[in-house]
Structures are given as structure tokens and as C-alpha cells.
């Protein structure tokens, strides 16, 4: 199989080839690259090579900053192909329209999303507290009676509404824009969730009180957090147990796993637990 390094060996020096990041995400028809500073003068050549290797790619962008802000946006710059950062991503038989410069999205959790959705039982009420464009929420509607999806990013909420209609699941969703804590208070959600998804790894621990408030007995919570390799998974479990004790709840840890990396020796993890 021809690799990007094979295609570029006559266009980059040996030292430049060593710096080349050969793994990248494809979101819809957009390839999302990380270009080291030393290779910026060659980014156009690299991008065009990616398009030749991947015929389904019509746009190539590069990441130009870290994921930041409460709206979790990691900006990108178009370096080849069509002049757009908007696309339609297909995953597990669903379609999601999104704009990489306006919303947070990663295709790397496809297996994890499938795992969570597979656990849902008929008739559940599912809360997705940081729902983005609906990539967890919308597939949950297949078995759930109702999915309550919340996000603070107005663009993400707009796309989520469009995606709910695109996938013909609008009638099974309630979509709210705002901080999940304020939405839960304003709508008087309490003791009503059978399952809660907390996919905000950098800050999920700050919203455990919200999850405990809306959780019914035997509610299952999928809690995502970043953990260093040396603290897998004790720190995350301790955070959950300490919060449960503070809010007068008893819990049972059901399982835990890694589902990606943020940086060397820092992992995105999920801890599943039940509120007793």
C-alpha cells in the first residue's frame, strides 16, 4: 500500500519526512492535519498529496490552535481543496452536518459512541449534558424513549436540531441551548434520567452534582475525563466517589477504559457507574 511518506519522499528531505505526522482525522470529506511549524512551507504539497491518496477528500485543513473556550472549538485553516470548513460526516448509519470552525467534533470516538448506544434499553430517558452536534444523542434515540440534549454552543445546537431532522428523530429529542446546570434548574429536571452522558473530559467533574440531581435510582452515568497514565483510573474513581458522598449518593463502579489520548501519557478515559 502506498503511504503519504512514499508519495512525498522526492518532495521532502529525510529530516522533513521524519517530522511528518502521517495520522490524521477525516471528518466527512475534510482531512484534518497537524502540520509541524518546521513543515509549514511545505503544507500545500502535503495537503495536495493527501487529496491524491484519498479520493473522498475534497478539503484539507490544518489545526491552528488548541481546543479552547466553553464552546470547545479548535480552529482550522484551509490549505487545499474547496474553500469551506463545513461538511456532512457519516457514522454508524447516521449523518451529521457540522462546521469544524464552529463546533467541537472528533471522529475518534466512533467505537466508544457505538459502545454506549448499544447499552441503552428500550424506554430509557437519556440525558446528554454536552451534546455538541448530536453525535451521541441522535443514535441514542433508536431505543430511548426520549433524549434530552444540551449544549452551550449556539452553533452546535443549531446543527444538532438540523441533524435531528435530517435523521428523522426530532420527535424523540428535546434540545436545549445553554449551560447544562442552568437548563436543569430552569426546566426543573430532577430524578428523571435513566442514563447520563458526560462527554466533557476537561471539566466533567464540575458537573457531577448536576448528574446526581437528575439521576433516578439505577441510573447509569458515562463519565469522561482526562487522566495521566500513572493515575489510571484511581483519580477519576476517587473524584466520582467523593462527589457522591458529598451529595448523599451511593454508587457502583461498573467499568472503565481508555478511549484515546490527549497527549503522550495523558488519556481520555470513561468511567461507567450506577447511582444506587
Amino acid at each position: 500500500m502506498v503511504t503519504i511518506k512514499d508519495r512525498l519522499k522526492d518532495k521532502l528531505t529525510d529530516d522533513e519526512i521524519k517530522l511528518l505526522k502521517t495520522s490524521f482525522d477525516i471528518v466527512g470529506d475534510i482531512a484534518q492535519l497537524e502540520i509541524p511549524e518546521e513543515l509549514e512551507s511545505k503544507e500545500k504539497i502535503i495537503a495536495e498529496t493527501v487529496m491524491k491518496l484519498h479520493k473522498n477528500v475534497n478539503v484539507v485543513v490544518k489545526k491552528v490552535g488548541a481546543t479552547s473556550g466553553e464552546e470547545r472549538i479548535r480552529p482550522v485553516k484551509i490549505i487545499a481543496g474547496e474553500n469551506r470548513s463545513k461538511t456532512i460526516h457519516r457514522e454508524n448509519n447516521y449523518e451529521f452536518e457540522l462546521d469544524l470552525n464552529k463546533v467541537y467534533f472528533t471522529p475518534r470516538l466512533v467505537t466508544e459512541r457505538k459502545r454506549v448506544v448499544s447499552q441503552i434499553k428500550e424506554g430509557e430517558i437519556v440525558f446528554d449534558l454536552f451534546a455538541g452536534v448530536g453525535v451521541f444523542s441522535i443514535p441514542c434515540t433508536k431505543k430511548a424513549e426520549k433524549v434530552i440534549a444540551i449544549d452551550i454552543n449556539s452553533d452546535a445546537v443549531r446543527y444538532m436540531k438540523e441533524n435531528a431532522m435530517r435523521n428523522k428523530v426530532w420527535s424523540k429529542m428535546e434540545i436545549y441551548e445553554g449551560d447544562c446546570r442552568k437548563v436543569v434548574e430552569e426546566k426543573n429536571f430532577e430524578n428523571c434520567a435513566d442514563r447520563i452522558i458526560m462527554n466533557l473530559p476537561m471539566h466533567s467533574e464540575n458537573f457531577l452534582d448536576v448528574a446526581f440531581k437528575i439521576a433516578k435510582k439505577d441510573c447509569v452515568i458515562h463519565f469522561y475525563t482526562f487522566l495521566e497514565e500513572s493515575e489510571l483510573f484511581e483519580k477519576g474513581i476517587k473524584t466520582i466517589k467523593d462527589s457522591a458522598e458529598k451529595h448523599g449518593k451511593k454508587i457502583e463502579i461498573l467499568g472503565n477504559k481508555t478511549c484515546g489520548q490527549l497527549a503522550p501519557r495523558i488519556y481520555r478515559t470513561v468511567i461507567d457507574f450506577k447511582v444506587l
Side-chain angles (χ1 to χ4, degrees), residues 94 133 137-139 141-142 145-149 156-176:
Y94 293 92
V133 299
S137 301
I138 287 170
T141 62
K142 186 172 183 178
E145 179 180 326
K146 182 71 70 175
V147 177
I148 315 296
V157 170
R158 176 171 58 83
Y159 279 117
M160 178 160 44
K161 289 177 178 178
E162 292 174 4
N163 291 332
M165 290 186 282
R166 173 186 291 274
N167 290 283
K168 298 180 173 60
V169 300
W170 178 261
S171 63
K172 298 189 74 175
M173 294 185 71
E174 291 181 20
I175 298 173
Y176 298 99

Side-chain angles (χ1 to χ4, degrees), residues 52-77:
K52 288 175 183 175
L53 277 173
H54 298 270
K55 301 302 183 184
N56 59 321
V57 169
N58 295 311
V59 185
V60 180
V61 302
K62 71 171 183 177
K63 300 172 183 177
V64 291
T67 302
S68 62
E70 62 182 12
E71 296 184 343
R72 297 185 290 164
I73 295 171
R74 184 172 193 177
V76 298
K77 176 186 176 183

Side-chain angles (χ1 to χ4, degrees), residues 72 127-132 137 148-153 157 160 174-181 183-184 189 214:
R72 297 185 290 164
F127 275 71
D128 190 351
L129 298 183
F130 317 102
S137 301
I148 315 296
I150 306 168
D151 202 275
I152 200 168
N153 181 334
V157 170
M160 178 160 44
E174 291 181 20
I175 298 173
Y176 298 99
E177 179 185 336
D179 181 286
C180 66
R181 185 185 307 282
V183 172
V184 164
F189 289 130
I214 60 178

Side-chain angles (χ1 to χ4, degrees), residues 127 129 148 150 176 178-192 207 209-215:
F127 275 71
L129 298 183
I148 315 296
I150 306 168
Y176 298 99
D179 181 286
C180 66
R181 185 185 307 282
K182 293 180 180 178
V183 172
V184 164
E185 290 174 358
E186 290 170 2
K187 298 298 177 181
N188 294 315
F189 289 130
E190 190 169 357
N191 191 33
C192 57
F207 296 91
D209 61 318
V210 178
F212 286 130
K213 180 177 181 178
I214 60 178

